Structures are given as structure tokens and as C-alpha cells.
Amino acid sequence: MASLNHPGDLKYSKTDEWVRVEGDEVVIGITDYAQDQLGDIVYVELPWESGENIAFEGKFGDIESVKATSELMSPLSGDVIGSNEELKEHPEYINDYPYEKGWMVRLKLSDPSQLDNLLNADQYLEYLQGR
């Protein structure tokens, strides 16, 4: 696990999503740890249309790897204002660049206080070590 990347400027959920806060908007993706556990990502289904409401801990998509198919669960609630269209043709971006080109969805936050439930990078690493 020491070789996995967990940038210090992001927040993390215990369900292995990362969150980049940009004012009252957030960008969400899966962590390097989650991608490593899943294996090479070969397909992702996201809410491609803006305006869809995603509930706290609600499903926001599906991800398929060479090992498994999993549901993507949101650590925050909000309205979709964009999804990473490049992942339709290049789901491998999640494998190679989970925090850059591999971002998944952008939300307008419904409840900013939900950010308080997320972990910083050090807390997330400690959480992973305790698994």
C-alpha cells in the first residue's frame, strides 16, 4: 500500500472515493486504493446528463474491471453539473490517473456540512492500514 497515491489536498470517504472541493462544487472519483483493489478498469457508467440529483450514499454509477463490477456510491449529495465524458472512450484513465484524468462526476453540493464526515489524506491512510 505504500506505493499508492493519496494527494493531501483532497478529502476521502471510507467507501474509497476522493473529493476535490471547489467552492460550492465538488469533483468525485475513486481512490488509487479502490482502483488497485478492482484491477484494471474497462468500463464505467455515469450520470451523463447534468441535473440529476444524487443522494448522500446513493448510487451514481457502475464500474467494471477485469475482476469485478461494482456500484459507485456518492459520499455527498448534490446535483450533477458534469461528468467526465472522456471516460466513455478511455475508462483506463481511472487506472493511470485516478486523481486527474480519471475524475468521474462534478456536483453542486446540497449540504456542505457533509464534507465534515470526510477524511484528510493522513486519516484515510490510517483508515486503510486498519482494514
Short mmCIF file of all heavy atoms in Angstrom, two decimals, residues 22 25-29 46-54 60 78-88 102-109:
data_model
loop_
_atom_site.label_atom_id
_atom_site.label_comp_id
_atom_site.label_asym_id
_atom_site.label_seq_id
_atom_site.Cartn_x
_atom_site.Cartn_y
_atom_site.Cartn_z
N GLU A 22 -14.23 22.59 -4.66
CA GLU A 22 -14.01 23.80 -5.46
C GLU A 22 -15.17 24.75 -5.21
O GLU A 22 -16.14 24.79 -5.97
CB GLU A 22 -13.90 23.43 -6.95
CG GLU A 22 -12.71 22.52 -7.24
CD GLU A 22 -12.62 22.08 -8.70
OE1 GLU A 22 -13.55 22.33 -9.48
OE2 GLU A 22 -11.58 21.48 -9.04
N GLU A 25 -18.89 23.52 -5.22
CA GLU A 25 -18.91 22.36 -6.11
C GLU A 25 -17.85 21.38 -5.65
O GLU A 25 -16.87 21.76 -5.01
CB GLU A 25 -18.62 22.78 -7.56
CG GLU A 25 -19.65 23.71 -8.14
CD GLU A 25 -19.30 24.17 -9.54
OE1 GLU A 25 -18.28 23.70 -10.11
OE2 GLU A 25 -20.05 25.00 -10.08
N VAL A 26 -18.06 20.11 -6.01
CA VAL A 26 -17.07 19.08 -5.72
C VAL A 26 -16.87 18.21 -6.95
O VAL A 26 -17.78 18.05 -7.77
CB VAL A 26 -17.47 18.20 -4.51
CG1 VAL A 26 -17.49 19.00 -3.23
CG2 VAL A 26 -18.80 17.50 -4.75
N VAL A 27 -15.68 17.66 -7.06
CA VAL A 27 -15.36 16.69 -8.08
C VAL A 27 -15.10 15.38 -7.34
O VAL A 27 -14.42 15.37 -6.30
CB VAL A 27 -14.12 17.11 -8.89
CG1 VAL A 27 -13.74 16.05 -9.90
CG2 VAL A 27 -14.35 18.45 -9.56
N ILE A 28 -15.66 14.27 -7.85
CA ILE A 28 -15.57 12.98 -7.17
C ILE A 28 -14.97 11.94 -8.11
O ILE A 28 -15.26 11.92 -9.31
CB ILE A 28 -16.97 12.51 -6.71
CG1 ILE A 28 -17.57 13.51 -5.72
CG2 ILE A 28 -16.90 11.12 -6.07
CD1 ILE A 28 -19.01 13.22 -5.33
N GLY A 29 -14.15 11.07 -7.55
CA GLY A 29 -13.59 9.94 -8.27
C GLY A 29 -13.32 8.81 -7.29
O GLY A 29 -13.62 8.93 -6.10
N LEU A 46 -21.79 6.45 -15.90
CA LEU A 46 -22.00 7.59 -15.02
C LEU A 46 -23.28 8.32 -15.43
O LEU A 46 -23.81 8.08 -16.52
CB LEU A 46 -20.81 8.55 -15.12
CG LEU A 46 -19.47 8.01 -14.66
CD1 LEU A 46 -18.34 8.95 -15.03
CD2 LEU A 46 -19.47 7.74 -13.16
N PRO A 47 -23.76 9.24 -14.59
CA PRO A 47 -24.91 10.06 -15.00
C PRO A 47 -24.43 11.10 -16.02
O PRO A 47 -23.91 12.15 -15.65
CB PRO A 47 -25.36 10.71 -13.68
CG PRO A 47 -24.14 10.71 -12.82
CD PRO A 47 -23.33 9.52 -13.24
N TRP A 48 -24.57 10.79 -17.29
CA TRP A 48 -24.00 11.63 -18.34
C TRP A 48 -24.75 12.94 -18.53
O TRP A 48 -24.23 13.89 -19.10
CB TRP A 48 -23.93 10.85 -19.66
CG TRP A 48 -23.14 9.58 -19.54
CD1 TRP A 48 -23.63 8.32 -19.68
CD2 TRP A 48 -21.75 9.43 -19.24
NE1 TRP A 48 -22.63 7.40 -19.50
CE2 TRP A 48 -21.46 8.05 -19.23
CE3 TRP A 48 -20.71 10.33 -18.99
CZ2 TRP A 48 -20.19 7.54 -18.97
CZ3 TRP A 48 -19.45 9.82 -18.74
CH2 TRP A 48 -19.19 8.46 -18.72
N GLU A 49 -25.99 13.02 -18.04
CA GLU A 49 -26.79 14.24 -18.19
C GLU A 49 -26.70 15.09 -16.91
O GLU A 49 -26.85 14.57 -15.81
CB GLU A 49 -28.25 13.88 -18.46
CG GLU A 49 -28.48 13.06 -19.70
CD GLU A 49 -28.12 13.81 -20.97
OE1 GLU A 49 -28.37 15.03 -21.03
OE2 GLU A 49 -27.58 13.17 -21.89
N SER A 50 -26.49 16.37 -17.09
CA SER A 50 -26.48 17.28 -15.95
C SER A 50 -27.89 17.39 -15.37
O SER A 50 -28.88 17.17 -16.06
CB SER A 50 -25.99 18.66 -16.37
OG SER A 50 -24.64 18.61 -16.75
N GLY A 51 -27.96 17.74 -14.10
CA GLY A 51 -29.24 17.97 -13.45
C GLY A 51 -29.72 16.83 -12.58
O GLY A 51 -30.58 17.02 -11.73
N GLU A 52 -29.19 15.64 -12.79
CA GLU A 52 -29.61 14.50 -11.97
C GLU A 52 -29.20 14.73 -10.52
O GLU A 52 -28.10 15.21 -10.25
CB GLU A 52 -28.97 13.22 -12.49
CG GLU A 52 -29.40 11.98 -11.75
CD GLU A 52 -28.82 10.71 -12.34
OE1 GLU A 52 -28.53 10.67 -13.56
OE2 GLU A 52 -28.68 9.73 -11.58
N ASN A 53 -30.11 14.42 -9.60
CA ASN A 53 -29.81 14.56 -8.18
C ASN A 53 -29.24 13.25 -7.66
O ASN A 53 -29.78 12.19 -7.92
CB ASN A 53 -31.05 14.95 -7.38
CG ASN A 53 -30.70 15.20 -5.93
OD1 ASN A 53 -30.75 14.28 -5.12
ND2 ASN A 53 -30.35 16.42 -5.61
N ILE A 54 -28.15 13.36 -6.93
CA ILE A 54 -27.52 12.19 -6.31
C ILE A 54 -27.64 12.35 -4.80
O ILE A 54 -27.28 13.38 -4.24
CB ILE A 54 -26.04 12.07 -6.73
CG1 ILE A 54 -25.96 11.84 -8.24
CG2 ILE A 54 -25.37 10.94 -5.97
CD1 ILE A 54 -24.56 11.78 -8.78
N PHE A 60 -24.28 6.41 -7.91
CA PHE A 60 -24.14 7.37 -9.00
C PHE A 60 -23.54 6.74 -10.25
O PHE A 60 -23.27 7.44 -11.23
CB PHE A 60 -23.35 8.62 -8.57
CG PHE A 60 -21.86 8.46 -8.41
CD1 PHE A 60 -21.00 8.69 -9.48
CD2 PHE A 60 -21.32 8.10 -7.20
CE1 PHE A 60 -19.63 8.56 -9.33
CE2 PHE A 60 -19.95 7.97 -7.03
CZ PHE A 60 -19.10 8.21 -8.12
N GLY A 78 -25.96 16.01 -4.01
CA GLY A 78 -25.94 17.20 -4.84
C GLY A 78 -26.48 16.92 -6.22
O GLY A 78 -26.87 15.81 -6.56
N ASP A 79 -26.49 17.97 -7.03
CA ASP A 79 -26.95 17.88 -8.40
C ASP A 79 -25.76 17.76 -9.34
O ASP A 79 -24.78 18.51 -9.21
CB ASP A 79 -27.77 19.12 -8.79
CG ASP A 79 -29.06 19.21 -8.01
OD1 ASP A 79 -29.68 18.16 -7.76
OD2 ASP A 79 -29.47 20.34 -7.65
N VAL A 80 -25.85 16.84 -10.27
CA VAL A 80 -24.79 16.63 -11.25
C VAL A 80 -24.71 17.86 -12.16
O VAL A 80 -25.72 18.28 -12.73
CB VAL A 80 -25.05 15.37 -12.10
CG1 VAL A 80 -24.01 15.24 -13.21
CG2 VAL A 80 -25.07 14.13 -11.22
N ILE A 81 -23.52 18.43 -12.26
CA ILE A 81 -23.32 19.54 -13.20
C ILE A 81 -22.33 19.16 -14.30
O ILE A 81 -22.10 19.92 -15.22
CB ILE A 81 -22.90 20.85 -12.49
CG1 ILE A 81 -21.69 20.64 -11.60
CG2 ILE A 81 -24.05 21.40 -11.68
CD1 ILE A 81 -21.17 21.90 -10.94
N GLY A 82 -21.81 17.94 -14.20
CA GLY A 82 -20.93 17.44 -15.25
C GLY A 82 -20.37 16.08 -14.91
O GLY A 82 -20.22 15.74 -13.75
N SER A 83 -20.12 15.31 -15.95
CA SER A 83 -19.46 14.01 -15.81
C SER A 83 -18.28 13.98 -16.78
O SER A 83 -18.28 14.69 -17.79
CB SER A 83 -20.42 12.87 -16.13
OG SER A 83 -21.44 12.82 -15.17
N ASN A 84 -17.32 13.15 -16.49
CA ASN A 84 -16.12 13.06 -17.31
C ASN A 84 -16.43 12.25 -18.57
O ASN A 84 -16.32 11.03 -18.59
CB ASN A 84 -14.99 12.42 -16.52
CG ASN A 84 -13.68 12.46 -17.24
OD1 ASN A 84 -13.61 12.73 -18.43
ND2 ASN A 84 -12.61 12.18 -16.52
N GLU A 85 -16.79 12.94 -19.63
CA GLU A 85 -17.16 12.31 -20.91
C GLU A 85 -16.02 11.48 -21.50
O GLU A 85 -16.26 10.53 -22.23
CB GLU A 85 -17.59 13.37 -21.91
CG GLU A 85 -18.83 14.16 -21.50
CD GLU A 85 -20.13 13.44 -21.82
OE1 GLU A 85 -20.12 12.56 -22.70
OE2 GLU A 85 -21.14 13.75 -21.17
N GLU A 86 -14.77 11.84 -21.19
CA GLU A 86 -13.63 11.10 -21.74
C GLU A 86 -13.61 9.65 -21.27
O GLU A 86 -13.03 8.79 -21.94
CB GLU A 86 -12.32 11.79 -21.38
CG GLU A 86 -12.12 13.10 -22.10
CD GLU A 86 -10.75 13.70 -21.83
OE1 GLU A 86 -10.18 13.46 -20.74
OE2 GLU A 86 -10.25 14.40 -22.71
N LEU A 87 -14.24 9.37 -20.13
CA LEU A 87 -14.23 8.00 -19.62
C LEU A 87 -15.06 7.05 -20.47
O LEU A 87 -14.87 5.83 -20.38
CB LEU A 87 -14.72 7.98 -18.17
CG LEU A 87 -13.82 8.71 -17.16
CD1 LEU A 87 -14.42 8.61 -15.76
CD2 LEU A 87 -12.40 8.19 -17.19
N LYS A 88 -15.95 7.58 -21.30
CA LYS A 88 -16.72 6.71 -22.20
C LYS A 88 -15.77 5.95 -23.13
O LYS A 88 -15.94 4.76 -23.38
CB LYS A 88 -17.71 7.53 -23.04
CG LYS A 88 -18.89 8.06 -22.28
CD LYS A 88 -19.78 8.84 -23.24
CE LYS A 88 -20.96 9.45 -22.54
NZ LYS A 88 -21.82 10.21 -23.46
N GLY A 102 -8.92 10.79 -14.45
CA GLY A 102 -9.88 9.76 -14.03
C GLY A 102 -11.02 10.25 -13.15
O GLY A 102 -11.76 9.44 -12.60
N TRP A 103 -11.18 11.58 -13.01
CA TRP A 103 -12.30 12.08 -12.22
C TRP A 103 -13.61 11.61 -12.86
O TRP A 103 -13.66 11.32 -14.06
CB TRP A 103 -12.26 13.61 -12.08
CG TRP A 103 -12.53 14.37 -13.36
CD1 TRP A 103 -11.64 14.71 -14.33
CD2 TRP A 103 -13.79 14.86 -13.80
NE1 TRP A 103 -12.26 15.40 -15.34
CE2 TRP A 103 -13.59 15.51 -15.05
CE3 TRP A 103 -15.08 14.84 -13.29
CZ2 TRP A 103 -14.61 16.12 -15.77
CZ3 TRP A 103 -16.11 15.44 -14.00
CH2 TRP A 103 -15.87 16.08 -15.22
N MET A 104 -14.67 11.53 -12.07
CA MET A 104 -15.91 10.94 -12.57
C MET A 104 -17.05 11.93 -12.70
O MET A 104 -17.66 12.04 -13.76
CB MET A 104 -16.32 9.77 -11.69
CG MET A 104 -15.32 8.65 -11.76
SD MET A 104 -15.85 7.27 -10.75
CE MET A 104 -14.60 6.10 -11.22
N VAL A 105 -17.37 12.62 -11.63
CA VAL A 105 -18.56 13.46 -11.64
C VAL A 105 -18.31 14.75 -10.87
O VAL A 105 -17.53 14.77 -9.92
CB VAL A 105 -19.77 12.67 -11.07
CG1 VAL A 105 -19.60 12.36 -9.60
CG2 VAL A 105 -21.09 13.35 -11.34
N ARG A 106 -18.97 15.81 -11.31
CA ARG A 106 -18.92 17.11 -10.64
C ARG A 106 -20.32 17.41 -10.12
O ARG A 106 -21.29 17.29 -10.87
CB ARG A 106 -18.46 18.19 -11.60
CG ARG A 106 -18.43 19.59 -11.00
CD ARG A 106 -17.99 20.63 -12.02
NE ARG A 106 -16.60 20.47 -12.38
CZ ARG A 106 -15.57 21.01 -11.70
NH1 ARG A 106 -15.80 21.77 -10.65
NH2 ARG A 106 -14.34 20.81 -12.10
N LEU A 107 -20.40 17.76 -8.83
CA LEU A 107 -21.69 18.05 -8.20
C LEU A 107 -21.74 19.46 -7.66
O LEU A 107 -20.73 19.99 -7.20
CB LEU A 107 -21.94 17.12 -7.00
CG LEU A 107 -21.98 15.63 -7.18
CD1 LEU A 107 -22.24 14.96 -5.83
CD2 LEU A 107 -23.04 15.23 -8.18
N LYS A 108 -22.92 20.04 -7.68
CA LYS A 108 -23.23 21.24 -6.90
C LYS A 108 -23.75 20.70 -5.57
O LYS A 108 -24.77 20.00 -5.52
CB LYS A 108 -24.31 22.08 -7.60
CG LYS A 108 -24.81 23.22 -6.80
CD LYS A 108 -24.21 24.48 -7.27
CE LYS A 108 -24.93 25.65 -6.58
NZ LYS A 108 -24.03 26.73 -6.37
N LEU A 109 -23.03 20.97 -4.49
CA LEU A 109 -23.37 20.41 -3.18
C LEU A 109 -24.75 20.82 -2.69
O LEU A 109 -25.12 21.99 -2.77
CB LEU A 109 -22.35 20.85 -2.13
CG LEU A 109 -21.04 20.11 -2.07
CD1 LEU A 109 -20.13 20.76 -1.04
CD2 LEU A 109 -21.24 18.65 -1.78
#
